[in-house]
Amino acid sequence: MVKKMVKSKVGVSSRMAPFLKNGKGIILAYDQGLEHGPSKDFNEKNVDPEQIIEIAEKGGFTGLVFQKGVAENYYHGKVPLILKLNGKTSLPGGEPIARQICSVKQAIEIGAKGVGYTIYPGSAFEHEMLAEFGKIQEEAHHAGLPVLAWVYPRGATIKNDTAPEIVSYAARVGLEAGADAVKIKYSGDRQSFSWAVKAAGKARIFMSGGPKAPTDEDFLNQVRGVMEAGATGIAVGRNVWQNDDPLRMASALRKIIFGE
Ligand code: FBP
């Protein structure tokens, strides 16, 4: 008689637990120094990673995203860390590709409780990122870490990266590729975003913030739409740490996300 081997399964929920409070999450992203350069996004205050750590701690964030260099030099372990494993600068132009620059092993040594990776579906190099993501996902899951995928459709064929069908495709790419959480852009309205949430299945959806919105209320309305659509939370940077009062913005976001 052939005995079936049934492996015990660790699901998305338990892997994501370190980054959630009552099933929801608010993650502070700070990898823009690599992605955009310091002159575009930073001022005298937020150029300093210590200031971001303070916002994450005092602002009640459930996760913090750093690239390896910032993490190695500044991270001291209070807010759970998501180590971004790939990245690129904005200097080359052309079809986007972000290659791995930190290993899962190194992320764990630095203290990460999760890893992040950007995929640009639509890029001429999407196959390279999907293949690299696949390996990272297996390694991270083997070590018990969740994998958060930044899924940003981009490249010559993508005319509008916030069109509902593109955003829901991004969400589904995350599920199909094995991400525990998928970070996607807002599609502009609650109804179309709820389709993206549905398309992601068991993968958790986090909204990506984008450049600072014209007013705080514009951004908060966007977050309301996202949460009403069934998202798990947000993973944002500029709309928090570029705000004149980041802790007041954090408090307004917590009210919407956790109902505090
Ligand atoms: P923001 O909320 O500041 O947009 O941060 C989210 C994020 O995904 C960052 O993690 C990343 O650095 C940035 O956006 C990438 O921005 P883009 O590729 O759209 O220029």
Side-chain angles (χ1 to χ4, degrees), residues 29-36 40-41 65 84 88 118 120 150 152 154 161 183 185 207-212 219 235-241:
Y30 189 69
D31 57 336
Q32 292 80 353
L34 177 66
E35 297 289 329
H36 305 148
K40 188 156 180 248
D41 288 342
V65 178
K84 192 77 197 307
K88 62 162 184 51
T118 301
Y120 298 113
W150 280 227
Y152 294 167
R154 245 166 237 187
D161 66 350
K183 185 160 153 23
K185 298 217 162 151
M207 182 201 74
S208 178
K212 191 165 172 298
F219 184 62
V236 303
R238 287 165 284 180
N239 276 284
V240 173
W241 45 254

PDB file of all heavy atoms in Angstrom, residues 29-36 40-41 65 84 88 118 120 150 152 154 161 183 185 207-212 219 235-241, ligand 1:
ATOM      1  N   ALA A  29       7.056  52.364   3.802  1.00  0.00           N
ATOM      2  CA  ALA A  29       8.063  52.034   2.778  1.00  0.00           C
ATOM      3  C   ALA A  29       9.119  53.134   2.705  1.00  0.00           C
ATOM      4  O   ALA A  29       8.793  54.324   2.638  1.00  0.00           O
ATOM      5  CB  ALA A  29       7.379  51.872   1.424  1.00  0.00           C
ATOM      6  N   TYR A  30      10.381  52.704   2.696  1.00  0.00           N
ATOM      7  CA  TYR A  30      11.480  53.679   2.623  1.00  0.00           C
ATOM      8  C   TYR A  30      12.631  53.090   1.806  1.00  0.00           C
ATOM      9  O   TYR A  30      13.725  52.849   2.313  1.00  0.00           O
ATOM     10  CB  TYR A  30      11.922  54.059   4.042  1.00  0.00           C
ATOM     11  CG  TYR A  30      12.903  55.213   4.125  1.00  0.00           C
ATOM     12  CD1 TYR A  30      12.516  56.519   3.816  1.00  0.00           C
ATOM     13  CD2 TYR A  30      14.214  55.006   4.541  1.00  0.00           C
ATOM     14  CE1 TYR A  30      13.415  57.573   3.916  1.00  0.00           C
ATOM     15  CE2 TYR A  30      15.122  56.056   4.644  1.00  0.00           C
ATOM     16  CZ  TYR A  30      14.708  57.336   4.328  1.00  0.00           C
ATOM     17  OH  TYR A  30      15.598  58.390   4.438  1.00  0.00           O
ATOM     18  N   ASP A  31      12.333  52.841   0.520  1.00  0.00           N
ATOM     19  CA  ASP A  31      13.389  52.399  -0.389  1.00  0.00           C
ATOM     20  C   ASP A  31      13.525  53.394  -1.542  1.00  0.00           C
ATOM     21  O   ASP A  31      14.195  53.133  -2.527  1.00  0.00           O
ATOM     22  CB  ASP A  31      13.088  50.996  -0.941  1.00  0.00           C
ATOM     23  CG  ASP A  31      11.743  50.906  -1.652  1.00  0.00           C
ATOM     24  OD1 ASP A  31      10.840  51.739  -1.358  1.00  0.00           O
ATOM     25  OD2 ASP A  31      11.572  50.021  -2.496  1.00  0.00           O
ATOM     26  N   GLN A  32      12.889  54.566  -1.364  1.00  0.00           N
ATOM     27  CA  GLN A  32      12.866  55.562  -2.448  1.00  0.00           C
ATOM     28  C   GLN A  32      14.236  56.164  -2.707  1.00  0.00           C
ATOM     29  O   GLN A  32      14.487  56.676  -3.796  1.00  0.00           O
ATOM     30  CB  GLN A  32      11.850  56.677  -2.122  1.00  0.00           C
ATOM     31  CG  GLN A  32      10.393  56.233  -2.143  1.00  0.00           C
ATOM     32  CD  GLN A  32       9.960  55.522  -0.866  1.00  0.00           C
ATOM     33  OE1 GLN A  32      10.773  55.240   0.010  1.00  0.00           O
ATOM     34  NE2 GLN A  32       8.685  55.225  -0.752  1.00  0.00           N
ATOM     35  N   GLY A  33      15.126  56.111  -1.716  1.00  0.00           N
ATOM     36  CA  GLY A  33      16.483  56.643  -1.920  1.00  0.00           C
ATOM     37  C   GLY A  33      17.190  55.939  -3.057  1.00  0.00           C
ATOM     38  O   GLY A  33      17.924  56.548  -3.834  1.00  0.00           O
ATOM     39  N   LEU A  34      16.963  54.619  -3.164  1.00  0.00           N
ATOM     40  CA  LEU A  34      17.525  53.851  -4.275  1.00  0.00           C
ATOM     41  C   LEU A  34      16.693  54.069  -5.546  1.00  0.00           C
ATOM     42  O   LEU A  34      17.242  54.309  -6.624  1.00  0.00           O
ATOM     43  CB  LEU A  34      17.552  52.353  -3.933  1.00  0.00           C
ATOM     44  CG  LEU A  34      18.052  51.435  -5.045  1.00  0.00           C
ATOM     45  CD1 LEU A  34      19.525  51.680  -5.343  1.00  0.00           C
ATOM     46  CD2 LEU A  34      17.852  49.966  -4.675  1.00  0.00           C
ATOM     47  N   GLU A  35      15.379  54.014  -5.404  1.00  0.00           N
ATOM     48  CA  GLU A  35      14.503  54.048  -6.583  1.00  0.00           C
ATOM     49  C   GLU A  35      14.480  55.410  -7.287  1.00  0.00           C
ATOM     50  O   GLU A  35      14.403  55.469  -8.508  1.00  0.00           O
ATOM     51  CB  GLU A  35      13.068  53.668  -6.183  1.00  0.00           C
ATOM     52  CG  GLU A  35      12.929  52.251  -5.633  1.00  0.00           C
ATOM     53  CD  GLU A  35      13.112  51.160  -6.699  1.00  0.00           C
ATOM     54  OE1 GLU A  35      12.786  51.398  -7.865  1.00  0.00           O
ATOM     55  OE2 GLU A  35      13.609  50.074  -6.337  1.00  0.00           O
ATOM     56  N   HIS A  36      14.517  56.487  -6.487  1.00  0.00           N
ATOM     57  CA  HIS A  36      14.349  57.825  -7.075  1.00  0.00           C
ATOM     58  C   HIS A  36      15.524  58.766  -6.842  1.00  0.00           C
ATOM     59  O   HIS A  36      15.592  59.825  -7.445  1.00  0.00           O
ATOM     60  CB  HIS A  36      13.099  58.512  -6.500  1.00  0.00           C
ATOM     61  CG  HIS A  36      11.849  57.713  -6.644  1.00  0.00           C
ATOM     62  ND1 HIS A  36      10.815  57.758  -5.733  1.00  0.00           N
ATOM     63  CD2 HIS A  36      11.449  56.825  -7.596  1.00  0.00           C
ATOM     64  CE1 HIS A  36       9.850  56.940  -6.104  1.00  0.00           C
ATOM     65  NE2 HIS A  36      10.208  56.359  -7.234  1.00  0.00           N
ATOM     66  N   LYS A  40      15.051  63.942  -5.225  1.00  0.00           N
ATOM     67  CA  LYS A  40      13.666  63.984  -5.700  1.00  0.00           C
ATOM     68  C   LYS A  40      12.684  63.920  -4.525  1.00  0.00           C
ATOM     69  O   LYS A  40      11.701  64.652  -4.495  1.00  0.00           O
ATOM     70  CB  LYS A  40      13.437  62.822  -6.664  1.00  0.00           C
ATOM     71  CG  LYS A  40      12.106  62.886  -7.358  1.00  0.00           C
ATOM     72  CD  LYS A  40      12.117  62.126  -8.665  1.00  0.00           C
ATOM     73  CE  LYS A  40      10.748  62.216  -9.327  1.00  0.00           C
ATOM     74  NZ  LYS A  40      10.056  60.946  -9.365  1.00  0.00           N
ATOM     75  N   ASP A  41      12.939  63.039  -3.579  1.00  0.00           N
ATOM     76  CA  ASP A  41      11.923  62.752  -2.559  1.00  0.00           C
ATOM     77  C   ASP A  41      12.230  63.268  -1.163  1.00  0.00           C
ATOM     78  O   ASP A  41      11.330  63.411  -0.352  1.00  0.00           O
ATOM     79  CB  ASP A  41      11.726  61.228  -2.431  1.00  0.00           C
ATOM     80  CG  ASP A  41      10.991  60.643  -3.621  1.00  0.00           C
ATOM     81  OD1 ASP A  41      10.346  61.419  -4.349  1.00  0.00           O
ATOM     82  OD2 ASP A  41      11.070  59.424  -3.819  1.00  0.00           O
ATOM     83  N   VAL A  65       9.858  48.943   5.596  1.00  0.00           N
ATOM     84  CA  VAL A  65      10.608  48.419   4.442  1.00  0.00           C
ATOM     85  C   VAL A  65      11.908  49.175   4.261  1.00  0.00           C
ATOM     86  O   VAL A  65      11.900  50.412   4.115  1.00  0.00           O
ATOM     87  CB  VAL A  65       9.784  48.570   3.132  1.00  0.00           C
ATOM     88  CG1 VAL A  65      10.582  48.064   1.932  1.00  0.00           C
ATOM     89  CG2 VAL A  65       8.450  47.884   3.239  1.00  0.00           C
ATOM     90  N   LYS A  84      13.812  44.586   1.382  1.00  0.00           N
ATOM     91  CA  LYS A  84      13.594  44.594  -0.063  1.00  0.00           C
ATOM     92  C   LYS A  84      14.797  43.909  -0.713  1.00  0.00           C
ATOM     93  O   LYS A  84      15.932  44.345  -0.513  1.00  0.00           O
ATOM     94  CB  LYS A  84      13.461  46.054  -0.499  1.00  0.00           C
ATOM     95  CG  LYS A  84      12.969  46.264  -1.880  1.00  0.00           C
ATOM     96  CD  LYS A  84      11.470  46.044  -2.006  1.00  0.00           C
ATOM     97  CE  LYS A  84      11.107  45.851  -3.462  1.00  0.00           C
ATOM     98  NZ  LYS A  84      11.600  46.916  -4.333  1.00  0.00           N
ATOM     99  N   LYS A  88      16.237  49.052  -8.181  1.00  0.00           N
ATOM    100  CA  LYS A  88      16.936  49.659  -9.321  1.00  0.00           C
ATOM    101  C   LYS A  88      16.971  51.158  -9.098  1.00  0.00           C
ATOM    102  O   LYS A  88      16.238  51.670  -8.251  1.00  0.00           O
ATOM    103  CB  LYS A  88      16.206  49.328 -10.629  1.00  0.00           C
ATOM    104  CG  LYS A  88      14.800  49.882 -10.678  1.00  0.00           C
ATOM    105  CD  LYS A  88      14.288  49.927 -12.097  1.00  0.00           C
ATOM    106  CE  LYS A  88      12.920  50.559 -12.197  1.00  0.00           C
ATOM    107  NZ  LYS A  88      12.757  51.864 -11.537  1.00  0.00           N
ATOM    108  N   THR A 118      10.224  43.431  -6.210  1.00  0.00           N
ATOM    109  CA  THR A 118       9.406  44.091  -7.243  1.00  0.00           C
ATOM    110  C   THR A 118       9.430  43.315  -8.549  1.00  0.00           C
ATOM    111  O   THR A 118      10.507  42.920  -9.023  1.00  0.00           O
ATOM    112  CB  THR A 118       9.925  45.517  -7.530  1.00  0.00           C
ATOM    113  OG1 THR A 118       9.888  46.271  -6.333  1.00  0.00           O
ATOM    114  CG2 THR A 118       9.069  46.212  -8.583  1.00  0.00           C
ATOM    115  N   TYR A 120       8.014  43.774 -12.536  1.00  0.00           N
ATOM    116  CA  TYR A 120       7.390  44.686 -13.499  1.00  0.00           C
ATOM    117  C   TYR A 120       6.777  43.864 -14.633  1.00  0.00           C
ATOM    118  O   TYR A 120       7.425  43.671 -15.680  1.00  0.00           O
ATOM    119  CB  TYR A 120       8.424  45.657 -14.077  1.00  0.00           C
ATOM    120  CG  TYR A 120       9.073  46.577 -13.048  1.00  0.00           C
ATOM    121  CD1 TYR A 120      10.414  46.462 -12.737  1.00  0.00           C
ATOM    122  CD2 TYR A 120       8.319  47.563 -12.404  1.00  0.00           C
ATOM    123  CE1 TYR A 120      11.017  47.291 -11.793  1.00  0.00           C
ATOM    124  CE2 TYR A 120       8.903  48.393 -11.456  1.00  0.00           C
ATOM    125  CZ  TYR A 120      10.250  48.250 -11.158  1.00  0.00           C
ATOM    126  OH  TYR A 120      10.824  49.069 -10.218  1.00  0.00           O
ATOM    127  N   TRP A 150       5.905  43.620  -4.822  1.00  0.00           N
ATOM    128  CA  TRP A 150       5.505  44.907  -5.397  1.00  0.00           C
ATOM    129  C   TRP A 150       5.204  44.555  -6.855  1.00  0.00           C
ATOM    130  O   TRP A 150       6.132  44.196  -7.592  1.00  0.00           O
ATOM    131  CB  TRP A 150       6.666  45.876  -5.403  1.00  0.00           C
ATOM    132  CG  TRP A 150       7.101  46.645  -4.206  1.00  0.00           C
ATOM    133  CD1 TRP A 150       7.385  47.983  -4.193  1.00  0.00           C
ATOM    134  CD2 TRP A 150       7.376  46.201  -2.865  1.00  0.00           C
ATOM    135  NE1 TRP A 150       7.795  48.368  -2.933  1.00  0.00           N
ATOM    136  CE2 TRP A 150       7.793  47.304  -2.107  1.00  0.00           C
ATOM    137  CE3 TRP A 150       7.281  44.949  -2.232  1.00  0.00           C
ATOM    138  CZ2 TRP A 150       8.123  47.224  -0.755  1.00  0.00           C
ATOM    139  CZ3 TRP A 150       7.623  44.863  -0.885  1.00  0.00           C
ATOM    140  CH2 TRP A 150       8.029  45.990  -0.164  1.00  0.00           C
ATOM    141  N   TYR A 152       4.168  46.008 -10.231  1.00  0.00           N
ATOM    142  CA  TYR A 152       3.935  47.261 -10.940  1.00  0.00           C
ATOM    143  C   TYR A 152       4.049  47.027 -12.454  1.00  0.00           C
ATOM    144  O   TYR A 152       5.163  46.996 -13.003  1.00  0.00           O
ATOM    145  CB  TYR A 152       4.989  48.306 -10.527  1.00  0.00           C
ATOM    146  CG  TYR A 152       4.934  48.771  -9.078  1.00  0.00           C
ATOM    147  CD1 TYR A 152       5.985  49.491  -8.524  1.00  0.00           C
ATOM    148  CD2 TYR A 152       3.824  48.517  -8.262  1.00  0.00           C
ATOM    149  CE1 TYR A 152       5.947  49.948  -7.202  1.00  0.00           C
ATOM    150  CE2 TYR A 152       3.774  48.964  -6.949  1.00  0.00           C
ATOM    151  CZ  TYR A 152       4.842  49.674  -6.430  1.00  0.00           C
ATOM    152  OH  TYR A 152       4.807  50.127  -5.129  1.00  0.00           O
ATOM    153  N   ARG A 154       4.578  47.664 -16.081  1.00  0.00           N
ATOM    154  CA  ARG A 154       5.346  48.746 -16.703  1.00  0.00           C
ATOM    155  C   ARG A 154       6.004  48.269 -17.986  1.00  0.00           C
ATOM    156  O   ARG A 154       6.201  47.078 -18.152  1.00  0.00           O
ATOM    157  CB  ARG A 154       6.463  49.181 -15.758  1.00  0.00           C
ATOM    158  CG  ARG A 154       6.266  50.598 -15.271  1.00  0.00           C
ATOM    159  CD  ARG A 154       7.137  50.920 -14.133  1.00  0.00           C
ATOM    160  NE  ARG A 154       6.306  51.358 -13.028  1.00  0.00           N
ATOM    161  CZ  ARG A 154       6.791  51.847 -11.907  1.00  0.00           C
ATOM    162  NH1 ARG A 154       8.070  51.927 -11.723  1.00  0.00           N
ATOM    163  NH2 ARG A 154       5.971  52.247 -10.957  1.00  0.00           N
ATOM    164  N   ASP A 161      -1.041  52.349 -16.075  1.00  0.00           N
ATOM    165  CA  ASP A 161      -0.783  51.317 -15.057  1.00  0.00           C
ATOM    166  C   ASP A 161      -1.802  51.312 -13.922  1.00  0.00           C
ATOM    167  O   ASP A 161      -1.730  50.465 -13.041  1.00  0.00           O
ATOM    168  CB  ASP A 161       0.647  51.422 -14.517  1.00  0.00           C
ATOM    169  CG  ASP A 161       0.913  52.709 -13.746  1.00  0.00           C
ATOM    170  OD1 ASP A 161       0.061  53.619 -13.782  1.00  0.00           O
ATOM    171  OD2 ASP A 161       1.974  52.799 -13.097  1.00  0.00           O
ATOM    172  N   LYS A 183       1.535  44.242  -3.391  1.00  0.00           N
ATOM    173  CA  LYS A 183       1.442  45.699  -3.268  1.00  0.00           C
ATOM    174  C   LYS A 183       1.129  46.230  -4.653  1.00  0.00           C
ATOM    175  O   LYS A 183       1.910  46.049  -5.595  1.00  0.00           O
ATOM    176  CB  LYS A 183       2.809  46.188  -2.784  1.00  0.00           C
ATOM    177  CG  LYS A 183       2.959  47.630  -2.457  1.00  0.00           C
ATOM    178  CD  LYS A 183       4.182  47.721  -1.551  1.00  0.00           C
ATOM    179  CE  LYS A 183       4.976  48.985  -1.515  1.00  0.00           C
ATOM    180  NZ  LYS A 183       4.425  50.220  -1.877  1.00  0.00           N
ATOM    181  N   LYS A 185      -1.047  49.423  -7.125  1.00  0.00           N
ATOM    182  CA  LYS A 185      -1.544  50.805  -7.152  1.00  0.00           C
ATOM    183  C   LYS A 185      -3.060  50.819  -7.064  1.00  0.00           C
ATOM    184  O   LYS A 185      -3.716  49.826  -7.404  1.00  0.00           O
ATOM    185  CB  LYS A 185      -1.109  51.476  -8.455  1.00  0.00           C
ATOM    186  CG  LYS A 185       0.388  51.533  -8.539  1.00  0.00           C
ATOM    187  CD  LYS A 185       0.873  52.792  -9.174  1.00  0.00           C
ATOM    188  CE  LYS A 185       2.325  52.954  -8.826  1.00  0.00           C
ATOM    189  NZ  LYS A 185       3.080  53.667  -9.807  1.00  0.00           N
ATOM    190  N   MET A 207      -2.196  48.543  -0.650  1.00  0.00           N
ATOM    191  CA  MET A 207      -2.121  49.601  -1.655  1.00  0.00           C
ATOM    192  C   MET A 207      -0.793  50.342  -1.559  1.00  0.00           C
ATOM    193  O   MET A 207      -0.310  50.635  -0.458  1.00  0.00           O
ATOM    194  CB  MET A 207      -3.245  50.616  -1.452  1.00  0.00           C
ATOM    195  CG  MET A 207      -3.232  51.700  -2.513  1.00  0.00           C
ATOM    196  SD  MET A 207      -4.105  53.195  -2.037  1.00  0.00           S
ATOM    197  CE  MET A 207      -2.986  53.939  -0.873  1.00  0.00           C
ATOM    198  N   SER A 208      -0.250  50.643  -2.716  1.00  0.00           N
ATOM    199  CA  SER A 208       0.963  51.432  -2.808  1.00  0.00           C
ATOM    200  C   SER A 208       0.569  52.910  -2.892  1.00  0.00           C
ATOM    201  O   SER A 208      -0.386  53.257  -3.592  1.00  0.00           O
ATOM    202  CB  SER A 208       1.691  51.001  -4.068  1.00  0.00           C
ATOM    203  OG  SER A 208       2.827  51.760  -4.231  1.00  0.00           O
ATOM    204  N   GLY A 209       1.319  53.780  -2.207  1.00  0.00           N
ATOM    205  CA  GLY A 209       0.886  55.170  -2.087  1.00  0.00           C
ATOM    206  C   GLY A 209       1.088  56.052  -3.303  1.00  0.00           C
ATOM    207  O   GLY A 209       0.185  56.754  -3.730  1.00  0.00           O
ATOM    208  N   GLY A 210       2.293  56.033  -3.866  1.00  0.00           N
ATOM    209  CA  GLY A 210       2.600  56.944  -4.971  1.00  0.00           C
ATOM    210  C   GLY A 210       3.043  58.302  -4.451  1.00  0.00           C
ATOM    211  O   GLY A 210       3.168  58.513  -3.237  1.00  0.00           O
ATOM    212  N   PRO A 211       3.249  59.256  -5.385  1.00  0.00           N
ATOM    213  CA  PRO A 211       3.679  60.600  -4.978  1.00  0.00           C
ATOM    214  C   PRO A 211       2.658  61.223  -4.023  1.00  0.00           C
ATOM    215  O   PRO A 211       1.489  60.846  -4.031  1.00  0.00           O
ATOM    216  CB  PRO A 211       3.717  61.376  -6.293  1.00  0.00           C
ATOM    217  CG  PRO A 211       3.727  60.351  -7.363  1.00  0.00           C
ATOM    218  CD  PRO A 211       3.094  59.111  -6.827  1.00  0.00           C
ATOM    219  N   LYS A 212       3.110  62.189  -3.239  1.00  0.00           N
ATOM    220  CA  LYS A 212       2.230  62.799  -2.239  1.00  0.00           C
ATOM    221  C   LYS A 212       0.991  63.390  -2.918  1.00  0.00           C
ATOM    222  O   LYS A 212       1.089  64.115  -3.905  1.00  0.00           O
ATOM    223  CB  LYS A 212       2.999  63.883  -1.492  1.00  0.00           C
ATOM    224  CG  LYS A 212       2.281  64.390  -0.271  1.00  0.00           C
ATOM    225  CD  LYS A 212       3.248  65.182   0.610  1.00  0.00           C
ATOM    226  CE  LYS A 212       2.513  65.874   1.736  1.00  0.00           C
ATOM    227  NZ  LYS A 212       1.541  66.848   1.263  1.00  0.00           N
ATOM    228  N   PHE A 219      -5.741  61.744  -0.046  1.00  0.00           N
ATOM    229  CA  PHE A 219      -5.073  60.470   0.225  1.00  0.00           C
ATOM    230  C   PHE A 219      -5.927  59.596   1.148  1.00  0.00           C
ATOM    231  O   PHE A 219      -6.083  58.388   0.911  1.00  0.00           O
ATOM    232  CB  PHE A 219      -3.684  60.712   0.828  1.00  0.00           C
ATOM    233  CG  PHE A 219      -2.922  59.437   1.027  1.00  0.00           C
ATOM    234  CD1 PHE A 219      -2.592  58.633  -0.057  1.00  0.00           C
ATOM    235  CD2 PHE A 219      -2.548  59.018   2.290  1.00  0.00           C
ATOM    236  CE1 PHE A 219      -1.904  57.428   0.110  1.00  0.00           C
ATOM    237  CE2 PHE A 219      -1.861  57.821   2.474  1.00  0.00           C
ATOM    238  CZ  PHE A 219      -1.538  57.026   1.383  1.00  0.00           C
ATOM    239  N   ALA A 235       0.885  50.007   2.058  1.00  0.00           N
ATOM    240  CA  ALA A 235       2.340  49.988   2.220  1.00  0.00           C
ATOM    241  C   ALA A 235       2.839  51.235   1.499  1.00  0.00           C
ATOM    242  O   ALA A 235       3.024  51.225   0.278  1.00  0.00           O
ATOM    243  CB  ALA A 235       2.929  48.716   1.619  1.00  0.00           C
ATOM    244  N   VAL A 236       2.996  52.301   2.239  1.00  0.00           N
ATOM    245  CA  VAL A 236       3.209  53.618   1.641  1.00  0.00           C
ATOM    246  C   VAL A 236       4.387  54.343   2.265  1.00  0.00           C
ATOM    247  O   VAL A 236       4.800  54.024   3.384  1.00  0.00           O
ATOM    248  CB  VAL A 236       1.942  54.498   1.793  1.00  0.00           C
ATOM    249  CG1 VAL A 236       0.731  53.819   1.181  1.00  0.00           C
ATOM    250  CG2 VAL A 236       1.676  54.833   3.244  1.00  0.00           C
ATOM    251  N   GLY A 237       4.902  55.314   1.544  1.00  0.00           N
ATOM    252  CA  GLY A 237       6.031  56.075   2.052  1.00  0.00           C
ATOM    253  C   GLY A 237       5.796  57.568   1.998  1.00  0.00           C
ATOM    254  O   GLY A 237       5.511  58.212   2.996  1.00  0.00           O
ATOM    255  N   ARG A 238       5.860  58.112   0.757  1.00  0.00           N
ATOM    256  CA  ARG A 238       5.883  59.562   0.599  1.00  0.00           C
ATOM    257  C   ARG A 238       4.686  60.271   1.214  1.00  0.00           C
ATOM    258  O   ARG A 238       4.827  61.362   1.761  1.00  0.00           O
ATOM    259  CB  ARG A 238       6.000  59.917  -0.892  1.00  0.00           C
ATOM    260  CG  ARG A 238       7.377  59.634  -1.444  1.00  0.00           C
ATOM    261  CD  ARG A 238       7.410  59.636  -2.955  1.00  0.00           C
ATOM    262  NE  ARG A 238       6.829  58.432  -3.518  1.00  0.00           N
ATOM    263  CZ  ARG A 238       6.741  58.185  -4.819  1.00  0.00           C
ATOM    264  NH1 ARG A 238       7.165  59.071  -5.688  1.00  0.00           N
ATOM    265  NH2 ARG A 238       6.224  57.048  -5.252  1.00  0.00           N
ATOM    266  N   ASN A 239       3.501  59.652   1.146  1.00  0.00           N
ATOM    267  CA  ASN A 239       2.323  60.318   1.715  1.00  0.00           C
ATOM    268  C   ASN A 239       2.357  60.377   3.235  1.00  0.00           C
ATOM    269  O   ASN A 239       1.550  61.084   3.839  1.00  0.00           O
ATOM    270  CB  ASN A 239       1.031  59.646   1.231  1.00  0.00           C
ATOM    271  CG  ASN A 239       0.621  60.186  -0.126  1.00  0.00           C
ATOM    272  OD1 ASN A 239       0.096  61.289  -0.227  1.00  0.00           O
ATOM    273  ND2 ASN A 239       0.924  59.428  -1.177  1.00  0.00           N
ATOM    274  N   VAL A 240       3.292  59.666   3.839  1.00  0.00           N
ATOM    275  CA  VAL A 240       3.452  59.761   5.296  1.00  0.00           C
ATOM    276  C   VAL A 240       4.662  60.630   5.634  1.00  0.00           C
ATOM    277  O   VAL A 240       4.540  61.677   6.258  1.00  0.00           O
ATOM    278  CB  VAL A 240       3.589  58.361   5.930  1.00  0.00           C
ATOM    279  CG1 VAL A 240       3.921  58.475   7.410  1.00  0.00           C
ATOM    280  CG2 VAL A 240       2.310  57.560   5.728  1.00  0.00           C
ATOM    281  N   TRP A 241       5.861  60.186   5.191  1.00  0.00           N
ATOM    282  CA  TRP A 241       7.052  60.908   5.673  1.00  0.00           C
ATOM    283  C   TRP A 241       7.331  62.218   4.939  1.00  0.00           C
ATOM    284  O   TRP A 241       8.186  62.982   5.359  1.00  0.00           O
ATOM    285  CB  TRP A 241       8.282  60.016   5.805  1.00  0.00           C
ATOM    286  CG  TRP A 241       8.590  59.062   4.673  1.00  0.00           C
ATOM    287  CD1 TRP A 241       8.407  57.718   4.688  1.00  0.00           C
ATOM    288  CD2 TRP A 241       9.175  59.352   3.396  1.00  0.00           C
ATOM    289  NE1 TRP A 241       8.824  57.153   3.507  1.00  0.00           N
ATOM    290  CE2 TRP A 241       9.300  58.141   2.703  1.00  0.00           C
ATOM    291  CE3 TRP A 241       9.596  60.526   2.773  1.00  0.00           C
ATOM    292  CZ2 TRP A 241       9.824  58.053   1.409  1.00  0.00           C
ATOM    293  CZ3 TRP A 241      10.122  60.444   1.474  1.00  0.00           C
ATOM    294  CH2 TRP A 241      10.227  59.224   0.825  1.00  0.00           C
TER     295      TRP A 241
HETATM  296  P1  FBP B   1       5.353  55.432  -2.024  1.00  0.00           P
HETATM  297  O1  FBP B   1       4.158  55.267  -1.113  1.00  0.00           O
HETATM  298  O2  FBP B   1       6.239  56.550  -1.573  1.00  0.00           O
HETATM  299  O3  FBP B   1       4.930  55.513  -3.459  1.00  0.00           O
HETATM  300  O4  FBP B   1       6.215  54.112  -1.835  1.00  0.00           O
HETATM  301  C1  FBP B   1       5.800  52.911  -2.401  1.00  0.00           C
HETATM  302  C2  FBP B   1       6.850  52.384  -3.345  1.00  0.00           C
HETATM  303  O5  FBP B   1       6.483  51.120  -3.835  1.00  0.00           O
HETATM  304  C3  FBP B   1       8.227  52.301  -2.730  1.00  0.00           C
HETATM  305  O6  FBP B   1       8.406  51.116  -2.012  1.00  0.00           O
HETATM  306  C4  FBP B   1       9.108  52.462  -3.929  1.00  0.00           C
HETATM  307  O7  FBP B   1      10.329  53.042  -3.647  1.00  0.00           O
HETATM  308  C5  FBP B   1       8.345  53.393  -4.793  1.00  0.00           C
HETATM  309  O8  FBP B   1       6.985  53.244  -4.463  1.00  0.00           O
HETATM  310  C6  FBP B   1       8.550  53.085  -6.238  1.00  0.00           C
HETATM  311  O9  FBP B   1       7.967  54.107  -6.946  1.00  0.00           O
HETATM  312  P2  FBP B   1       7.894  54.130  -8.516  1.00  0.00           P
HETATM  313  O10 FBP B   1       8.539  52.870  -9.035  1.00  0.00           O
HETATM  314  O11 FBP B   1       6.441  54.205  -8.836  1.00  0.00           O
HETATM  315  O12 FBP B   1       8.625  55.347  -8.927  1.00  0.00           O
END
